[in-house]
Structure formats: structure tokens, C-alpha cells
Amino acid sequence: MEVSEAFFNIYARILTEVLFAGQSLLYGYWLKPFVKKRRAAYVPALVYWIINLAGRYIDLFDGFGRFAAILALIIPFIILFFLDDKCNLAQKIFLCVVFYLIRWLPIEMMNEIGSFEGELVYDLELFTASITAVVIEFAVWNLIQYGVSLVLLYISIRILHRTYRRKKENITPRKADHAFILQAMDGRY
């Protein structure tokens, strides 16, 4: 069986797009309980997806992908703030930064597991003797890896939604004083 490099590239590209589309939907899901209008949650998520898409496929200058990643944090935040009637600025910053940070954790966890999986699998004689086995392993492992990453991100968001109970409260700098932090640590918030 002859498998071209194009198969691996196309398959990986499709899975990557599904992953980023799933992340974008979960971004909207993450924002939804904190906004007044549903549109205010899903428009920034759509913009997040478009910016990431541009960062992956447009090569305007060296490092454009990293620049696009920064834009994927800032521009959805601005859109979220304006679509949600310019209220609760500190919370909007918090929401965008938290999602930006937690989106890669499941992927990195699965990449670490994948490195062990690769070492284990490729030591087996079946994978050194059969290209079909390698192709199947590649396809199945990547599907599992990205699927589990999205599930872990969803679980993380659900946990954060349950933990963050005062979703509609306006956050002000004064709320971050020491008494508030101590009360939060005692479980009163």
C-alpha cells in the first residue's frame, strides 16, 4: 500500500480545522453565561476562529502566526466588550485571558501522552513491517488526541462555570482588595 505525504497533510489539516472550530464553539459556550445577549458570546468566538484561520494560512510576514495569536486575544475581547453594552470591563478581560490560557492545556496534555504512545507503538514489530498499520495508527491516534482535547476543554469550562458563581456581578478594582480575597479563600464567595 502506497500512502502519499499529501494524505497525512490533508488529514492533519482537516483535524486541525475541526479542533479550532471546536475551540471556537467552546469559546462562545464559555462566554455565554457572562453576557446579556447570546450574540455577544458567539461573535467574538467567530472572530477568534477567523483570526486563528488567518494566522495559519496567511503568511504576510515572518512571525505573522504569533502576531495573529495575540490578535486572537485582543480583538475578541474588544468585540465582546462592545457587544455586551460596554459593561464589566475587568470581567471581559478575565474571561478572554482565561480562555486563551486554558485552550492549549488539553492539547499539550495529549501531546505529552502522544509522545509516550509513539514510543510504545513504534517499538512493536507490526508497525515496522506494515505501512498500513502506521497509517491506521496515525489516523486513529490523531482523532483520539484532538477529540479528547476538546472534551477536556469542555470539562474545564464546565468546572469554571460552576466555580464562578457570580457571573453577572460587575467586577471593580476595589473588589480585589485583601478582605475579598480572604473571604473567597474561606469559601464565602
Side-chain angles (χ1 to χ4, degrees):
M1 175 183 174
E2 184 67 31
V3 179
S4 69
E5 186 178 329
F7 164 77
F8 292 104
N9 290 335
I10 291 169
Y11 183 76
R13 186 164 286 188
I14 289 170
L15 280 180
T16 301
E17 293 312 318
V18 168
L19 174 70
F20 278 102
Q23 278 186 348
S24 298
L25 287 172
L26 288 172
Y27 193 15
Y29 175 72
W30 162 241
L31 296 174
K32 193 169 76 169
F34 301 96
V35 296
K36 297 173 187 167
K37 304 172 198 156
R38 188 178 189 153
R39 176 177 57 113
Y42 287 103
V43 170
L46 177 64
V47 170
Y48 166 82
W49 177 74
I50 291 170
I51 292 170
N52 278 309
L53 189 67
R56 286 189 303 279
Y57 295 108
I58 297 174
D59 192 20
L60 293 177
F61 54 86
D62 191 34
F64 179 70
R66 282 182 240 122
F67 180 69
I70 294 168
L71 290 178
L73 170 65
I74 296 170
I75 292 176
F77 153 71
I78 293 169
I79 292 170
L80 173 66
F81 180 66
F82 282 103
L83 286 179
D84 200 34
D85 301 330
K86 300 179 193 173
C87 67
N88 218 348
L89 176 68
Q91 184 188 52
K92 302 307 185 257
I93 293 170
F94 169 78
L95 293 172
C96 292
V97 170
V98 165
F99 182 80
Y100 194 80
L101 294 173
I102 67 169
R103 70 192 167 109
W104 284 114
L105 289 176
I107 293 171
E108 289 303 318
M109 288 169 48
M110 292 307 295
N111 282 340
E112 287 299 317
I113 293 170
S115 65
F116 295 117
E117 181 268 345
E119 290 176 15
L120 176 71
V121 166
Y122 293 122
D123 285 342
L124 300 174
E125 186 178 326
L126 171 67
F127 292 97
T128 57
S130 171
I131 190 71
T132 305
V134 172
V135 171
I136 291 171
E137 185 276 335
F138 173 79
V140 170
W141 173 251
N142 280 289
L143 190 63
I144 290 170
Q145 180 180 5
Y146 288 171
V148 171
S149 295
L150 287 173
V151 168
L152 288 173
L153 181 58
Y154 173 76
I155 291 169
S156 300
I157 289 170
R158 292 284 305 200
I159 290 169
L160 288 169
H161 278 170
R162 286 188 184 149
T163 305
Y164 193 178
R165 293 191 178 127
R166 299 164 77 170
K167 294 173 180 66
K168 301 294 182 190
E169 184 175 305
N170 193 15
I171 298 175
T172 61
R174 196 169 1 139
K175 294 256 173 145
D177 65 4
H178 297 292
F180 179 76
I181 293 170
L182 291 174
Q183 290 172 352
M185 290 172 56
D186 288 339
R188 288 183 244 164
Y189 280 94

